[in-house]
């Protein structure tokens, strides 16, 4: 597919990499020639310098023959104008715009047709939603949902003293007393597809498939406390902080929001009357202490500086805050910070990129294409969901008789309201949806790709 | 430095070279010239063994391929294909001296067309075919061919840009379409189609098919090896005119042809480099015709025009064919040819030289400097084709000019160690560095490079490679910093 990406910021760059690896024809438009130079050197993409909302530049970038435009410049207005202009030039074009300003959220939705946007993405809101989901189940580092929310892949980290250390996977079910499947283990930065004899070690990060309704059982039997989050300390009053505080205030959680900029504090206090907005520098540990870090059930570090977020998270961990969530925006390969116990690490750009990649794959819309795709294990593995119809190979055959490709695993089968963690005797039929985990080396675009 | 990846890519381009020796091998078998067959067979065997060892050693090539690797890879790659390309000449005994064989091979691949063979008609047909084919392969570049056929860099990150940039001529190399493989394929398809068209036109002029094949290869690569002792002079005026037109066509930036395919002819006609190129061609043809006609070098005006147009297009595109001995022309005409030799063809063509795109930039930058002398606070942005040129490109172009002049002067000094005339030495360096081929005086179109010493030949070999790869990939091989570990 021919895809134009307008804006070569962090998100634009991530998208260019991901989509060019999936063999799309990418043209990147940005005003800064240094950024373009960097991208052209690193990825197999073409670059056009100029204002992406200007007709002449869009023309040069080949908008007339493009299939999709992704506008992710720093300015919402430019993104909207870019989409509208491009769509006027090519009515068959799909457009995705990044809209970050909360004030535009509603009109971007209502005026979709007027702006000619096929989809809007809001990385901040998405990150906030993700964090809120994590706060519901403390103990999981990450949650990815499949089969309309009936099945999830959750990430767990084995800390020292966990019940699962030195346990072979065969004995796993007797400890946690519910049916789950460990699909990928991340050890020393490598993603491993484990077999039954695989022995878990301290420091491993497990990616576990489980039906959503067993998650609380899983947590309880693991020994992680599943109390309701009652008091959350948010550091950083940016857009994510605002969305998160807003969502938490609606579910009656006691929120402390620390922000350094006084004007921002006032604005937040105005918008969020039920929240305790505190003006102060979060890098001062005394401030965190005095605002009751020790009695908080969760600490969320959302400042604009990755380093500061990490330091705050480490401090929170040492202060024994049960759940710590760290926002990291600029680190691509998180294996460098794996050894730090930062709790859950959230990367808004990657979340947003996943959403867009999903849209692109859905647009290709071949029969048998994945309907949802999540990258897990720091992007080293990928979980995809496929809808099964009669044309698919091996319908109705037990799994043990199928030959799958190396490092590909069928981790879940969903039939109607029922989800199943498959074993060798399981079968899938037309109408089911099947969740597959593969290592990131081969892109699984079509269901038949999983078979050897 | 990622030696393994460099090894892997070099192994692949050697295999491509070996593959393209097959037609030459067939020619030698048809002619029952077994010494030549032996030469090609041994070379191909050596390539397979060498490339096999390289591939074996580079099995676990890691990612991480940056500008440095790209430059080194192209520099080493060209030296390797030149070495292996010279083996058939040497082993077959057609060019017994290895230094001469290497000179011939480098001259072929870099599309220079400077020859050390006194009488090319005495060479075997297969050898003549290979000489001309190396022009074709070197013209567009063997790495570009590799990028078009092999799925290199598609899985890992797109480092291929460094390769394209290092091998393709011009101050700012860009892609035609987003995917590198398609870009390379489009370039080669245009190249093949134009070559085919040239071949057909030549055959229509009753040129023998083998001659037409070799001539179209040499024209397409803007090389200039002839298979006749008198280059193109012996053929009919029609064939000479076809050559004139096609040489000029191959000197045009290939992205212009892509734009024509996209039916954007208007953009091509508005292109500043394109206009300057044709303007210079027309102006210098007119001046030389006038000069020759007044000196009554040829009898009719038509003949004068034909010869001057042919020589102008041959020199400006750095091909180096000749229909007449222009060394005997009046001084003013020779001076114009020397001037054209330096400029060369357009960026992104198969021609060599300094390139019109750079001339354009240098003069615009010069104009800006003069203006800033008068108005010290004036701010001026340089535009080409209505687009701003960033300062980095301009400073790179200035650096290129400096490197170019330094190489020109130092090679000239080295060449003058031998007892040769100043004109011979200077034009030999100019003709080799710009990949033209024939110079003036002792290296003029009626003579050749056989008389030079081995040392001079080595200097010229380096000049030819530096000229074809636009200096830096070769220059960088001599820098200690390149090989430093960190």
């Amino acid at each position: 597919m021919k895809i134009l990406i307008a804006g070569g910021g962090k998100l634009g760059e991530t998208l260019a990499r991901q989509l060019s690896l999936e063999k799309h024809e990418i043209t990147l438009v940005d005003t800064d020639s240094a950024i373009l130079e960097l991208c052209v050197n690193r990825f197999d993409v073409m670059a056009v310098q100029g204002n992406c909302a200007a007709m002449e530049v869009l023309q040069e970038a080949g908008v007339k023959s493009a299939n999709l435009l992704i506008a992710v410049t720093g300015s919402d207005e430019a993104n909207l104008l870019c989409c509208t202009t491009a769509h006027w030039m090519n009515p068959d074009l799909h457009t995705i715009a990044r809209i970050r300003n909360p004030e535009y959220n509603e009109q971007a939705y209502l005026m979709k047709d007027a702006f000619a946007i096929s989809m809007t993405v809001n990385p901040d809101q998405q990150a906030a939603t993700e964090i809120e989901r994590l706060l519901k189940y403390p103990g999981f580092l990450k949650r990815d949902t499949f089969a309309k929310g009936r099945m999830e892949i959750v990430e767990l980290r084995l800390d020292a003293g966990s019940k699962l250390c030195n346990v072979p996977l065969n004995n796993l079910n007797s400890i946690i007393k519910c049916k789950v499947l460990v699909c990928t283990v991340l050890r020393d930065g490598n993603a491993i597809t484990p077999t039954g004899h695989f022995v878990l070690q301290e420091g491993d990060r497990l990616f576990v498939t489980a039906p959503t309704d067993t998650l609380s059982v899983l947590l309880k039997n693991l020994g992680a406390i599943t109390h309701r989050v009652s008091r959350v300390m948010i550091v950083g009053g940016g857009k994510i902080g605002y969305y998160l505080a807003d969502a938490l205030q609606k579910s009656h959680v006691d929120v402390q929001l620390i922000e350094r900029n006084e004007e921002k504090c006032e604005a937040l206090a105005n918008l969020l009357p039920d929240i305790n907005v505190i003006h102060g520098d979060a890098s001062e540990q005394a401030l965190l202490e005095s605002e009751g870090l020790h009695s908080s059930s969760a600490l969320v570090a959302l400042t604009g500086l990755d380093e500061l977020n990490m330091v705050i998270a480490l401090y929170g961990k040492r202060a024994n805050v049960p759940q710590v969530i760290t926002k990291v925006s600029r680190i691509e390969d998180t294996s460098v910070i794996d050894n730090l116990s930062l709790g859950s690490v959230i990367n808004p750009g990657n979340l947003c990129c996943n959403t867009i990649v999903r849209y692109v794959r859905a647009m290709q819309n071949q029969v048998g294409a994945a309907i949802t795709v999540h990258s897990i294990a720091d992007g080293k593995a990928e979980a995809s969901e496929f809808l099964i119809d009669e044309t698919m190979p091996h319908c109705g055959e037990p799994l043990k008789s199928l030959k799958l490709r190396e490092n590909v695993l069928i981790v879940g089968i969903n039939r109607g309201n029922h989800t199943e963690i498959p074993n060798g005797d399981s079968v899938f039929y037309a109408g089911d949806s099947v969740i597959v985990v593969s290592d990131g080396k081969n892109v699984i675009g079509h269901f038949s790709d999983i078979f050897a | 430095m990622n030696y393994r990846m460099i090894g892997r890519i070099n192994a692949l381009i050697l295999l491509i070279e070996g593959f393209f020796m097959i037609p030459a091998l067939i020619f030698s078998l048809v002619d029952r010239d077994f010494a030549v067959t032996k030469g090609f067979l041994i070379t191909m065997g050596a390539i397979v063994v060498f490339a096999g060892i390289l591939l074996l050693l580079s099995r676990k090539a890691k990612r991480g391929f940056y500008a440095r690797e790209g430059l080194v890879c192209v520099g080493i790659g060209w030296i390797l294909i030149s070495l292996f390309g010279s083996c058939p000449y040497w082993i077959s005994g057609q060019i017994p001296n290895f230094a001469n064989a290497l000179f011939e091979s480098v001259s072929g691949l870099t599309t220079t067309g400077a020859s050390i063979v006194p009488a090319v008609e005495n060479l075997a047909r297969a050898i003549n075919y290979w000489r001309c084919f190396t022009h074709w392969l070197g013209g567009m570049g063997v790495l570009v061919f590799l990028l078009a056929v092999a799925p290199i860099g598609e899985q890992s990150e797109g480092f291929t840009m460094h390769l394209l940039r290092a091998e393709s001529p011009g101050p700012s190399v860009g892609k035609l379409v987003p995917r590198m493989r398609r870009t390379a394929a489009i370039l080669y398809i245009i190249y093949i189609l134009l070559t085919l068209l040239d071949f057909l036109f030549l055959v229509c002029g009753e040129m023998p098919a083998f001659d037409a094949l070799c001539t179209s290869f040499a024209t397409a690569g803007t090389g200039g090896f002839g298979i006749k002792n008198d280059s193109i002079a012996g053929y009919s005026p029609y064939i000479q005119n076809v050559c004139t037109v096609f040489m000029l066509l191959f000197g045009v930036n290939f992205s212009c042809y892509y734009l024509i395919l996209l039916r954007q002819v208007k953009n091509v006609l508005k292109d500043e480099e394109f206009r300057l190129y044709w303007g210079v061609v027309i102006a210098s043809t007119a001046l030389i015709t006038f000069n020759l006609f007044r000196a009554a070098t040829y009898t009719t005006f038509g003949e004068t025009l034909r010869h001057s147009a042919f020589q102008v297009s041959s020199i400006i595109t750095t091909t180096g064919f000749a229909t007449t001995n222009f060394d005997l022309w009046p001084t003013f005409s020779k001076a114009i040819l020397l001037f054209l030799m330096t400029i060369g063809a357009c960026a992104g063509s198969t021609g060599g030289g300094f390139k019109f795109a750079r001339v354009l930039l240098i003069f615009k930058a010069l104009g800006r400097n003069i203006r800033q002398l008068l108005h010290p606070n004036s701010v001026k942005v340089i535009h080409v084709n209505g687009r701003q040129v960033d300062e980095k490109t301009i400073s790179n172009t200035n650096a290129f000019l400096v490197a170019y002049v330094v190489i020109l002067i130092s090679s000239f000094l080295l060449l003058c160690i031998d007892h040769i005339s100043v004109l011979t030495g200077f034009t030999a360096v100019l003709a080799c560095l710009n990949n033209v081929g024939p110079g003036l005086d002792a290296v003029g179109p009626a003579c050749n490079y056989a008389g030079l010493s081995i040392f001079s030949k080595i200097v010229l070999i380096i000049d030819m490679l530096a000229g074809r790869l636009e200096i830096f990939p070769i220059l960088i091989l001599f820098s200690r910093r390149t090989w430093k570990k960190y």
Side-chain angles (χ1 to χ4, degrees):
Chain A
M1 252 191 342
K2 284 192 179 172
I3 301 175
L4 299 190
I5 299 177
K10 198 74 201 147
L11 181 56
E13 199 187 311
T14 317
L15 280 170
R17 183 182 61 219
Q18 185 61 35
L19 293 174
S20 74
L21 275 182
E22 297 189 11
K23 312 234 182 281
H24 295 291
E25 296 188 19
I26 311 292
T27 307
L28 195 64
V29 186
D30 199 292
T31 43
D32 187 345
S33 61
I35 286 177
L36 293 176
E37 174 87 21
L38 207 71
C39 285
V40 166
N41 282 342
R42 291 176 58 195
F43 318 123
D44 200 0
V45 301
M46 199 163 85
V48 172
Q49 193 199 354
N51 176 359
C52 65
M55 235 175 201
E56 207 177 315
V57 176
L58 283 169
Q59 171 84 33
E60 196 190 332
V63 72
K64 293 253 167 80
S65 59
N67 306 98
L68 173 67
L69 169 82
I70 306 171
V72 288
T73 67
S75 141
D76 290 349
E77 293 82 356
N79 291 342
L80 285 175
L81 186 59
C82 176
C83 287
T84 314
T85 314
H87 191 266
W88 186 82
M89 295 170 76
N90 175 3
D92 296 330
L93 187 77
H94 287 237
T95 55
I96 298 177
R98 173 166 74 178
I99 307 290
R100 301 182 71 173
N101 190 340
E103 289 166 329
Y104 294 155
N105 254 353
E106 201 179 347
Q107 79 205 63
Y109 180 72
L110 289 175
M111 296 173 64
K112 241 177 160 170
D113 292 332
F115 286 135
I117 327 171
S118 318
M119 180 170 91
T120 56
V121 287
N122 185 340
D124 306 314
Q125 190 161 39
Q126 217 180 340
T129 316
E130 185 67 21
I131 294 170
E132 197 202 346
R133 262 157 49 83
L134 287 173
L135 288 173
K136 276 193 185 139
Y137 281 107
F140 297 138
L141 298 173
K142 191 169 175 252
R143 293 170 61 194
D144 288 302
T145 318
F146 297 89
K148 301 197 178 97
R150 293 193 191 93
M151 188 163 265
E152 302 211 15
I153 292 183
V154 293
E155 180 183 346
L156 292 165
R157 185 192 162 103
L158 293 194
D159 293 319
S162 163
K163 277 185 188 174
L164 297 182
C165 284
N166 304 322
V167 172
L169 284 186
N170 281 335
N171 301 346
L172 188 70
N173 285 1
S174 62
I175 296 179
I176 52 179
K177 297 187 185 65
C178 57
K179 250 193 110 187
V180 298
L181 180 73
V182 177
C183 45
T184 304
V185 176
L186 200 60
R187 180 179 287 175
D188 302 328
N190 298 317
I192 303 164
T193 308
T195 58
H197 306 293
F198 187 85
V199 179
L200 300 171
Q201 285 177 7
E202 181 193 333
D204 284 354
R205 282 158 66 196
L206 312 186
F207 294 82
V208 181
T209 319
T212 307
D213 43 21
T214 61
L215 286 180
S216 47
V217 184
L218 173 66
L219 274 182
K220 207 175 113 210
N221 292 338
L222 274 176
I225 343 102
T226 54
H227 57 86
R228 239 178 60 85
V229 169
S230 53
R231 190 163 190 278
V232 175
M233 182 175 279
I234 301 175
V235 179
K239 292 199 176 77
I240 306 181
Y242 162 73
Y243 287 124
L244 179 63
D246 189 37
L248 290 174
Q249 115 183 322
K250 278 174 193 148
S251 52
H252 306 292
V253 176
D254 179 13
V255 177
Q256 321 277 315
L257 203 163
I258 304 178
E259 166 60 45
R260 201 170 50 178
N261 183 323
E262 193 167 0
E263 281 170 36
K264 255 191 188 168
C265 282
E266 265 174 41
L268 284 168
N270 180 28
L271 287 168
L272 304 165
D274 294 345
I275 299 286
N276 191 6
V277 180
I278 295 150
H279 172 222
D281 188 347
S283 57
E284 279 173 39
Q285 287 160 3
L287 177 78
L288 297 179
E289 300 271 354
S290 70
E291 293 307 328
L293 181 67
H294 286 282
S295 55
S296 297
S297 43
L299 172 70
V300 188
L302 300 174
T303 70
L305 296 169
D306 287 354
E307 307 85 321
L308 184 58
N309 288 342
M310 288 191 248
V311 171
I312 292 171
L314 289 175
Y315 183 66
K317 270 282 173 189
R318 219 190 48 194
N320 284 327
V321 178
Q323 191 177 16
V324 174
I325 296 172
T326 316
K327 185 198 83 162
V328 166
S329 336
R330 303 209 65 87
I331 300 177
E332 257 171 61
D333 184 1
T334 50
S335 63
V336 287
I337 51 171
D338 255 5
N339 294 330
L340 305 174
S341 56
L342 298 174
S344 306
V345 175
I346 289 275
N347 186 329
N350 283 359
L351 286 175
C352 190
C353 177
N354 278 346
T355 316
I356 293 174
V357 169
R358 244 169 269 156
Y359 184 90
V360 172
R361 293 198 185 169
M363 243 183 93
Q364 285 179 310
N365 203 20
Q366 330 145 312
V367 184
I371 49 172
T372 55
V373 180
H374 293 261
S375 78
I376 58 173
D378 298 342
K380 293 197 173 74
E382 210 170 60
S384 343
E385 181 179 348
F386 297 93
L387 269 182
I388 305 299
D389 65 20
E390 292 83 359
T391 62
M392 304 284 181
H394 307 298
C395 248
E397 294 175 33
L399 293 188
K400 62 186 169 195
S401 67
L402 304 182
K403 287 214 51 103
L404 296 185
R405 266 202 349 218
E406 205 187 342
N407 293 332
V408 171
L409 217 56
I410 294 184
V411 298
I413 298 174
N414 178 60
R415 187 169 306 135
N417 280 331
H418 176 70
T419 51
E420 181 187 1
I421 300 290
N423 54 34
D425 298 318
S426 306
V427 281
F428 53 82
Y429 299 105
D432 293 359
S433 66
V434 169
I435 299 151
V436 173
V437 171
S438 67
D439 62 359
K441 283 183 197 115
N442 302 304
V443 176
I444 306 258
H446 191 273
F447 185 60
S448 55
D449 290 347
I450 71 168
F451 299 105
Chain B
M1 185 120 63
N2 192 341
Y3 289 106
R4 288 200 168 144
M5 198 48 132
I6 294 175
R8 197 177 175 75
I9 291 171
N10 279 326
L12 291 174
I13 59 176
L14 280 177
L15 287 175
I16 288 175
E17 190 187 24
F19 174 77
F20 279 124
M21 284 183 183
I22 291 174
L25 187 73
I26 293 169
F27 274 118
S28 73
L29 283 171
V30 170
D31 292 350
R32 308 191 140 269
D33 200 338
F34 295 121
V36 178
T37 313
K38 197 183 88 183
F40 278 108
L41 272 181
I42 292 178
T43 311
M44 286 161 81
I47 285 178
V48 169
V49 171
F50 186 78
I53 293 173
L54 270 184
L55 283 179
L56 214 62
L57 289 176
S58 64
R59 259 175 331 205
K60 290 180 195 137
K62 286 198 193 89
R63 289 173 171 200
F65 198 93
Y66 307 105
R68 182 166 73 148
E69 275 87 355
L71 289 166
V72 170
C73 186
V74 171
I76 293 180
W78 274 75
I79 292 173
L80 281 178
I81 57 169
S82 304
L83 283 172
F84 280 98
S86 69
C87 291
Y89 305 132
W90 184 50
I91 297 170
S92 66
Q94 298 265 332
I95 302 176
N97 181 328
F98 183 72
N100 280 348
L102 184 63
F103 187 91
E104 196 76 2
S105 161
V106 171
S107 166
L109 282 165
T110 58
T111 73
T112 307
S115 183
I116 44 74
V117 182
V120 286
E121 281 164 29
N122 297 342
L123 292 176
R125 213 152 63 115
I127 291 291
N128 260 331
Y129 169 84
W130 178 243
R131 286 171 78 226
C132 293
F133 184 78
T134 52
H135 278 331
W136 192 82
L137 189 60
M140 190 52 84
V142 58
L143 273 148
V144 176
F145 189 84
L146 179 69
L147 292 177
V149 294
I152 259 195
E154 285 196 355
Q155 279 298 320
S156 57
E157 310 207 321
F159 61 76
T160 45
M161 199 61 209
H162 295 301
L163 294 177
L164 184 76
R165 200 173 286 150
E167 199 183 38
S168 292
S172 52
V173 176
K175 293 195 223 175
L176 303 174
V177 290
R179 293 217 80 94
M180 178 59 82
R181 196 169 172 183
R182 272 199 65 205
T183 300
I186 288 172
L187 286 175
Y188 256 96
I189 287 169
I190 293 173
Y191 193 40
I192 290 169
L193 285 179
L194 275 174
T195 312
L196 200 67
L197 208 62
D198 186 15
F199 174 75
L200 290 177
F201 269 102
L202 290 176
V203 168
C204 287
E206 287 170 359
M207 196 182 204
F210 180 77
D211 295 25
L213 188 67
C214 289
T215 308
S216 52
F217 280 157
T219 311
T222 65
F225 274 153
I227 54 167
K228 294 276 188 279
N229 290 341
D230 57 1
S231 191
I232 305 294
Y235 294 109
S236 69
Y238 164 80
I239 287 175
Q240 296 181 359
N241 289 334
V242 169
C243 285
T244 306
V245 171
F246 273 93
M247 283 189 290
L248 288 172
L249 290 181
F250 282 109
V252 173
N253 191 334
F254 273 52
S255 60
C256 290
Y257 296 121
Y258 181 64
L259 287 179
I260 290 173
L261 286 180
L262 294 181
R263 300 206 185 89
Q264 298 183 12
V265 184
K266 227 190 245 167
N267 287 342
V268 174
L269 294 179
K270 270 195 274 175
D271 188 84
E272 288 182 42
E273 187 187 21
F274 187 81
R275 296 170 84 145
L276 184 65
Y277 173 69
W278 289 101
V280 169
V281 168
I282 291 167
S284 19
T285 310
L287 284 172
I288 291 181
T289 311
F290 181 67
N291 187 238
L292 291 181
F293 198 63
R294 271 193 54 180
T297 315
Y298 302 101
T299 44
T300 66
F301 179 76
E303 198 186 354
T304 315
L305 183 64
R306 172 159 57 85
H307 284 305
S308 56
F310 188 96
Q311 259 57 235
V312 163
S313 59
S314 166
I315 296 297
I316 201 169
T317 61
T318 73
T319 308
F321 279 144
T323 54
T324 178
N325 187 356
F326 53 78
D327 200 21
L328 305 174
W329 281 3
T331 311
F332 179 62
S333 298
K334 285 198 278 188
I336 291 179
L337 288 185
L338 279 186
F339 160 74
L340 296 181
M341 225 178 243
T342 322
I343 299 179
C346 298
S349 71
T350 60
F354 195 72
K355 304 279 155 20
F356 274 97
R358 289 207 180 85
V359 172
L360 212 60
L361 280 179
I362 295 264
F363 275 94
K364 286 192 174 185
L366 187 66
R368 178 172 68 169
N369 276 24
I370 291 172
R371 189 175 154 141
Q372 274 169 347
L373 282 179
L374 301 174
H375 307 279
N377 293 327
S378 81
V379 176
K380 172 117 173 79
V381 171
I382 291 179
H383 287 98
V384 171
N385 294 334
R387 307 217 60 163
Q388 183 182 348
V389 181
D390 47 276
E391 294 302 316
K392 216 170 121 192
T393 311
I394 293 165
S395 73
N396 282 347
T397 310
N398 286 334
F400 183 83
L401 178 65
V402 172
Y404 181 87
V405 171
V406 166
I407 288 197
L408 193 69
I409 292 172
S410 49
S411 313
F412 174 58
L413 281 173
L414 291 174
L415 238 63
C416 288
I417 296 172
D418 290 342
H419 293 288
I420 51 172
S421 75
V422 169
L423 193 61
T424 307
F426 186 67
T427 55
V429 171
L430 210 55
C432 285
L433 186 58
N434 294 314
N435 300 143
V436 178
L440 294 173
D441 204 11
V443 290
C447 314
N448 62 55
Y449 287 73
L452 298 174
S453 70
I454 287 192
F455 175 73
S456 303
K457 280 175 190 156
I458 291 172
V459 171
L460 292 179
I461 283 174
I462 295 173
D463 281 352
M464 287 191 276
L465 282 170
R468 169 62 181 85
L469 300 179
E470 309 225 291
I471 298 177
F472 293 110
I474 291 298
L475 210 57
I476 208 169
L477 297 179
F478 293 102
S479 163
R480 202 151 47 96
R481 220 173 267 264
T482 311
W483 307 104
K484 214 164 153 184
K485 280 191 181 130
Y486 41 68

